[in-house]
Amino acid sequence: MSERKKKSVLKGVMRTAALVIVTVMLIGMTTVAICGVAFALYIDRYVSQDVDIYLDSYRLNLTSFIYYVDKDTGELVEHEKLYGSEDRVWVDFKDIPKQLQLAVISVEDERFRTHNGVDWKRTIGAAMKFTGLISDYTGGGSTITQQLIKNLTGENETSVKRKIQEVMRALELEKKYEKDDILEMYLNTIYFGRGVYGVKQAAHIYFGKELSELTLAQCASLAGMPKNPYKYDLIRFPEYNRERRIIVLKQMLNNGNITQREYDIAAAENVTAVRSGTEGESGQDEYQSYFVDAVIEQVLGDLQSEYGYSENMAKQLLFSGGLKIVTTIDVDIQAKMDEVFHDLENFPGSIGADGTYPQASMVLIDPYSGQVKALYGGRGEKTGDRVLNRATQTYRQPGSSIKPITVYAPAIEFGIATPITVIDDAPKNFTVRETGWPQNENRRYGGLTTVSSGIARSLNTVAVDLIEKVGYKRSFDFAVKNMGLTSLVDSMTVTNKRGETSVKSDLGASPLALGGLTKGVSVLEMTAAYAAFVDDGVYRAPTLYSMVYDSNDKVILDRSAPQITLAMESRTRDYMIQLLTGVVKNGTGTKAAIEGMQVGGKTGTTSEDNDRWFAGITPYYAGVVWFGHDKQQSLEKYSTNPALYLWHEVMERVHEELESREFKLHSEMVTISCCLDSGLLPNEWCSQDIRGSRVTKATVAKEDVPKQTCNCHVGVQIDTTTNLVANEFCPLDQLKTVGALSLRRIYPHSGVSVADQAYVVPYSAEGGYPPATLTLQPCTEHNEENDANKPPEPEIDPEPPIVIPIEPPIIDPDPEPPIEVDPPEPEPEPEPEPEPEPNIDPPEPPEPAPEPEPENG
């Protein structure tokens, strides 16, 4: 090939290569542009919202206070001061040792003083490691500024969106604040394990020192902990802490922060924890009340949800931010509750199987505002700050105390039942248990029972029957959405001790009708739900505070206006008042009665008897008490309900100076007569029932007046000589007509005993088994051979013959000769009377009959 031809080919190749390069560059630029636009749109739509962080709201160095409103003057009165792990946890930047600052910077972010919030070199390295492009990168991607943002927001999920948002926030933060401000906030919020936040508290807990007293080695020890607070815990793993401490010191040496001599001395120092303090130690002589503990939890939750604070930062602001919290507490009511719960004489029983005493808790709410007025979270006097508060933090099985919320109220609300609706108190399901399910607490079945009697006697059969008619989903939604029982579980996977998993749900008869819930409910939840029965069916979310002000008296949380839900119609609420007061009048809650005050309520006992409840209402307040062991165990040894006793002791004190009052009804009610066995208008036999009259008076809404007469009672004749159902051969003059029940109960198994079966007329039970209790039996004594109505045949008794006794003759051994006498003269015969002369006159002929008169033509 000629030289000229070679040059021509080379030029062609170069032109082609140049075209390819330009094309690739254009494609790359276009791709970058598209990606850039897409990235910008992504950031604008999904990331750029709420990226600002204001450190001013986190400058914490003031004590917060709890207030209550004086009922007489309306003025705020200081109630308690808030204490965290220490009264003061914040330390100003000027009081943080330089050595500690440099130690943290060296190991966490050595270019902190030079970058703009993001160390791009470290960020790119971390990103390449994340994508798998490199595998030997050992550094982290977050700067101190980025870590501070995570501390403030609590956001630490692994996602592209969060990382981009964190980067943007870091860049924004560095524009607004100096490096010293950022480092000060970081060192006051960083976590050191054992519930310790901030360098000042860490120095106190681990070394018992003020920051100014720390050695270089101790500074390095603290600086090494945040990477893994558990692993590098100086108390738990001193050897790992030493390894990390040496790394920190080497980094300080390499960065020129310390000399070789300083390094050698610090590396050789034996650093040990003196444990001068303990986690959660407050130092004050008196502990915060259970009420204040509950206020703290509610305010912390609201700060996090409303402002996006992390839990740590919400705590810092609450305990040391100079907040003013106006609570809903009524100090007089709280004092009366404290008096009852402090007195251990009010707690029956002895130590349980696990060596602990039973506990109890109570919440009392003003139903017209939703404000919690008093609560107590344990047995006896309180023994620490923010200990387990059983009034708000413990969730237990409510047993039958849940029935008014999940069964009776929705059954009335959805038009399924009224207080006079009759349910058969008999087993419903023979697949759960061969002898029938559910069982009542007394293991007996009574038969036809009104809803009113069913709730008063806490019959499980009535509750299960109604829940099946209401439907699990409707009942569940009513309890959660209308009555605030948000702890109910739609579906949850649980793992047992053997590692086996199963799915639990409260959408079922046992949880909703019998109270065997997956998680349980809190006393606070139950009290708020029962409060809705007091104020015309209006549910108010319970609140423990009304306002929270910052240190400049600016409102940061406002709960003065309650969150209201119309839980039920007035008719439903009025019926529920009728049912709940019936429980106290003549049911399981009679011991809750308060003289001069109308009281309603419901007892609760779980199937295994691990929990006892009483949920009660008055026209003034709603209050609920739980009683049981922290570690579940049986309470069978308590014959009475301790929760009911505690409730009465508190509420009697609370109401002793209040005016007598009854619940105000809001629907139009009428009084009617109805049959106890059908719930319908009585027929002629209801009042003549063999047990006595079954007709009663009832108060119902006008629209619920029955339109039909009783279809249960029929007339039946009873032979009073045998007390059995009469037949045609029973004595007619001994019969009595009475009322009896006409119904058929047939079960797949024998042996079911139902009390009122004894008053049912006989029937055929083909295809199954009748109850073991016999129905009214037909008379068998009277039959065709023993017909009591057949006239008796005459009976002739002949007169016995007269027997004249003959005396034997007396024989004289020496008889005298007889004396002869003359025979008597015969008497003359009487002359015969003359016979009457015969009548010879002929009889007179009869008179002739008159001739008939001729008929008219």
Side-chain angles (χ1 to χ4, degrees), residues 390-464:
R390 298 166 186 85
T392 60
Q393 296 175 322
T394 296
Y395 292 80
R396 299 297 288 263
Q397 309 299 325
S400 294
S401 64
I402 202 174
K403 292 175 182 176
I405 302 168
T406 55
V407 177
Y408 293 105
I412 295 171
E413 181 75 2
F414 299 132
I416 293 169
T418 71
I420 63 172
T421 298
V422 171
I423 305 294
D424 197 10
D425 174 21
K428 313 293 179 183
N429 190 324
F430 289 86
T431 60
V432 177
R433 184 185 294 110
E434 186 173 314
T435 56
W437 182 89
Q439 286 185 324
N440 293 319
E441 187 178 356
N442 61 7
R443 302 295 190 268
R444 298 176 182 175
Y445 300 111
L448 299 179
T449 305
T450 63
V451 164
S452 181
S453 179
I455 188 174
R457 293 188 287 148
S458 198
L459 300 177
N460 293 333
T461 50
V462 174
V464 168

Side-chain angles (χ1 to χ4, degrees), residues 284-444:
Q284 73 265 27
D285 296 330
E286 294 184 1
Y287 299 110
Q288 294 164 178
S289 66
Y290 281 112
F291 194 100
V292 170
D293 283 355
V295 170
I296 290 172
E297 295 303 319
Q298 194 168 70
V299 172
L300 285 175
D302 289 347
L303 286 173
Q304 293 175 73
S305 62
E306 199 152 315
Y307 291 96
Y309 294 163
S310 67
E311 181 181 3
N312 175 37
M313 286 314 304
K315 287 179 180 178
Q316 297 283 6
L317 180 61
L318 178 61
F319 289 117
S320 301
L323 303 185
K324 297 176 183 177
I325 304 169
V326 182
T327 68
T328 61
I329 190 172
D330 185 314
V331 291
D332 295 329
I333 295 177
Q334 186 66 63
K336 292 174 180 179
M337 187 180 291
D338 292 348
E339 179 185 0
V340 173
F341 276 77
H342 286 176
D343 187 356
L344 297 181
E345 293 296 323
N346 292 320
F347 289 78
S350 55
I351 295 177
D354 64 346
T356 64
Y357 284 99
Q359 294 285 344
S361 60
M362 182 176 187
V363 174
L364 186 146
I365 287 179
D366 176 356
Y368 306 100
S369 65
Q371 294 183 349
V372 179
K373 293 301 177 183
L375 64 80
Y376 206 85
R379 172 196 183 98
E381 295 191 18
K382 197 164 181 277
T383 58
D385 283 337
R386 301 184 70 190
V387 295
L388 177 63
N389 192 339
R390 298 166 186 85
T392 60
Q393 296 175 322
T394 296
Y395 292 80
R396 299 297 288 263
Q397 309 299 325
S400 294
S401 64
I402 202 174
K403 292 175 182 176
I405 302 168
T406 55
V407 177
Y408 293 105
I412 295 171
E413 181 75 2
F414 299 132
I416 293 169
T418 71
I420 63 172
T421 298
V422 171
I423 305 294
D424 197 10
D425 174 21
K428 313 293 179 183
N429 190 324
F430 289 86
T431 60
V432 177
R433 184 185 294 110
E434 186 173 314
T435 56
W437 182 89
Q439 286 185 324
N440 293 319
E441 187 178 356
N442 61 7
R443 302 295 190 268
R444 298 176 182 175

Side-chain angles (χ1 to χ4, degrees), residues 96-353:
I96 301 175
K98 188 72 173 179
Q99 290 184 135
L100 180 56
Q101 297 177 35
L102 294 173
V104 171
I105 291 174
S106 295
V107 75
E108 293 292 339
D109 184 7
E110 62 183 0
R111 285 183 287 275
F112 171 71
R113 292 291 179 182
T114 59
H115 63 61
N116 62 350
V118 178
D119 189 332
W120 294 108
K121 180 180 177 181
R122 296 174 64 188
T123 300
I124 294 172
M128 294 180 70
K129 179 180 179 181
F130 177 76
T131 58
L133 295 177
I134 60 175
S135 59
D136 58 347
Y137 181 77
T138 58
S142 295
T143 63
I144 284 178
T145 309
Q146 291 171 280
Q147 291 181 53
L148 172 60
I149 289 169
K150 284 193 289 187
N151 292 343
L152 298 181
T153 63
E155 297 172 359
N156 56 8
E157 62 175 320
T158 303
S159 68
V160 174
K161 175 185 174 181
R162 187 203 67 78
K163 196 65 182 177
I164 295 173
Q165 191 174 52
E166 179 187 287
V167 167
M168 295 183 65
R169 282 176 164 173
L171 296 172
E172 187 70 22
L173 198 66
E174 292 265 354
K175 292 178 183 178
K176 293 181 177 180
Y177 297 97
E178 300 293 332
K179 291 287 186 178
D180 288 353
D181 294 327
I182 295 172
L183 185 59
E184 176 190 45
M185 179 61 67
Y186 178 75
L187 293 174
N188 276 286
T189 59
I190 195 167
Y191 183 57
F192 289 90
R194 296 183 173 269
V196 176
Y197 290 89
V199 291
K200 178 174 180 176
Q201 190 182 5
H204 172 72
I205 293 297
Y206 288 104
F207 302 118
K209 291 182 176 183
E210 295 299 325
L211 288 173
S212 60
E213 300 173 328
L214 295 179
T215 66
L216 173 59
Q218 289 171 334
C219 288
S221 176
L222 293 180
M225 290 185 190
K227 180 179 176 62
N228 190 329
Y230 180 82
K231 179 178 180 180
Y232 300 124
D233 184 327
L234 180 61
I235 298 173
R236 186 179 286 110
F237 302 115
E239 66 281 8
Y240 291 141
N241 182 273
R242 185 181 185 285
E243 292 176 4
R244 179 69 174 163
R245 183 166 69 249
I246 296 301
I247 292 174
V248 174
L249 291 171
K250 285 182 179 179
Q251 284 291 102
M252 294 181 73
L253 179 63
N254 294 338
N255 294 334
N257 301 136
I258 58 175
T259 65
Q260 183 66 49
R261 176 173 172 75
E262 287 174 322
Y263 169 83
D264 293 338
I265 294 174
E269 183 178 329
N270 181 24
V271 178
T272 58
V274 298
R275 303 187 66 172
S276 63
T278 58
E279 303 151 67
E281 184 178 27
S282 63
Q284 73 265 27
D285 296 330
E286 294 184 1
Y287 299 110
Q288 294 164 178
S289 66
Y290 281 112
F291 194 100
V292 170
D293 283 355
V295 170
I296 290 172
E297 295 303 319
Q298 194 168 70
V299 172
L300 285 175
D302 289 347
L303 286 173
Q304 293 175 73
S305 62
E306 199 152 315
Y307 291 96
Y309 294 163
S310 67
E311 181 181 3
N312 175 37
M313 286 314 304
K315 287 179 180 178
Q316 297 283 6
L317 180 61
L318 178 61
F319 289 117
S320 301
L323 303 185
K324 297 176 183 177
I325 304 169
V326 182
T327 68
T328 61
I329 190 172
D330 185 314
V331 291
D332 295 329
I333 295 177
Q334 186 66 63
K336 292 174 180 179
M337 187 180 291
D338 292 348
E339 179 185 0
V340 173
F341 276 77
H342 286 176
D343 187 356
L344 297 181
E345 293 296 323
N346 292 320
F347 289 78
S350 55
I351 295 177

Side-chain angles (χ1 to χ4, degrees), residues 318-625:
L318 178 61
F319 289 117
S320 301
L323 303 185
K324 297 176 183 177
I325 304 169
V326 182
T327 68
T328 61
I329 190 172
D330 185 314
V331 291
D332 295 329
I333 295 177
Q334 186 66 63
K336 292 174 180 179
M337 187 180 291
D338 292 348
E339 179 185 0
V340 173
F341 276 77
H342 286 176
D343 187 356
L344 297 181
E345 293 296 323
N346 292 320
F347 289 78
S350 55
I351 295 177
D354 64 346
T356 64
Y357 284 99
Q359 294 285 344
S361 60
M362 182 176 187
V363 174
L364 186 146
I365 287 179
D366 176 356
Y368 306 100
S369 65
Q371 294 183 349
V372 179
K373 293 301 177 183
L375 64 80
Y376 206 85
R379 172 196 183 98
E381 295 191 18
K382 197 164 181 277
T383 58
D385 283 337
R386 301 184 70 190
V387 295
L388 177 63
N389 192 339
R390 298 166 186 85
T392 60
Q393 296 175 322
T394 296
Y395 292 80
R396 299 297 288 263
Q397 309 299 325
S400 294
S401 64
I402 202 174
K403 292 175 182 176
I405 302 168
T406 55
V407 177
Y408 293 105
I412 295 171
E413 181 75 2
F414 299 132
I416 293 169
T418 71
I420 63 172
T421 298
V422 171
I423 305 294
D424 197 10
D425 174 21
K428 313 293 179 183
N429 190 324
F430 289 86
T431 60
V432 177
R433 184 185 294 110
E434 186 173 314
T435 56
W437 182 89
Q439 286 185 324
N440 293 319
E441 187 178 356
N442 61 7
R443 302 295 190 268
R444 298 176 182 175
Y445 300 111
L448 299 179
T449 305
T450 63
V451 164
S452 181
S453 179
I455 188 174
R457 293 188 287 148
S458 198
L459 300 177
N460 293 333
T461 50
V462 174
V464 168
D465 190 287
L466 287 176
I467 204 75
E468 297 288 350
K469 294 173 181 175
V470 170
Y472 304 148
K473 188 66 168 65
R474 281 204 298 183
S475 169
F476 182 91
D477 288 344
F478 185 89
V480 175
K481 298 176 181 178
N482 294 29
M483 305 294 276
L485 295 190
T486 56
S487 58
L488 268 62
V489 173
D490 187 346
S491 178
M492 185 175 75
T493 301
V494 297
T495 305
N496 61 22
K497 294 179 180 179
R498 296 187 296 273
E500 301 168 338
T501 60
S502 60
V503 177
K504 300 288 185 180
S505 173
D506 289 333
L507 286 166
S510 182
L512 295 173
L514 308 182
L517 300 176
T518 304
K519 290 172 55 179
V521 291
S522 72
V523 178
L524 180 63
E525 279 183 306
M526 289 290 284
T527 311
Y530 269 80
F533 295 130
V534 181
D535 187 24
D536 198 23
V538 176
Y539 172 83
R540 292 176 171 84
T543 58
L544 292 123
Y545 72 92
S546 58
M547 305 288 281
V548 176
Y549 302 88
D550 66 12
S551 57
N552 296 316
D553 290 333
K554 177 185 175 183
V555 176
I556 59 174
L557 291 173
D558 185 350
R559 295 294 179 268
S560 56
Q563 300 175 28
I564 293 177
T565 300
L566 183 58
M568 66 197 83
E569 296 178 353
S570 294
R571 166 184 165 275
T572 302
R573 177 268 181 181
D574 290 350
Y575 275 149
M576 289 307 302
I577 291 295
Q578 187 181 130
L579 295 178
L580 293 173
T581 54
V583 173
V584 176
K585 285 180 182 177
N586 47 33
T588 58
T590 54
K591 292 185 179 180
I594 299 173
E595 186 176 355
M597 194 68 60
Q598 194 172 19
V599 177
K602 184 70 187 74
T603 55
T605 303
T606 54
S607 58
E608 296 180 356
D609 205 2
N610 293 332
D611 304 273
R612 300 280 182 91
W613 293 75
F614 185 75
I617 57 174
T618 73
Y620 291 95
Y621 298 109
V624 175
V625 176

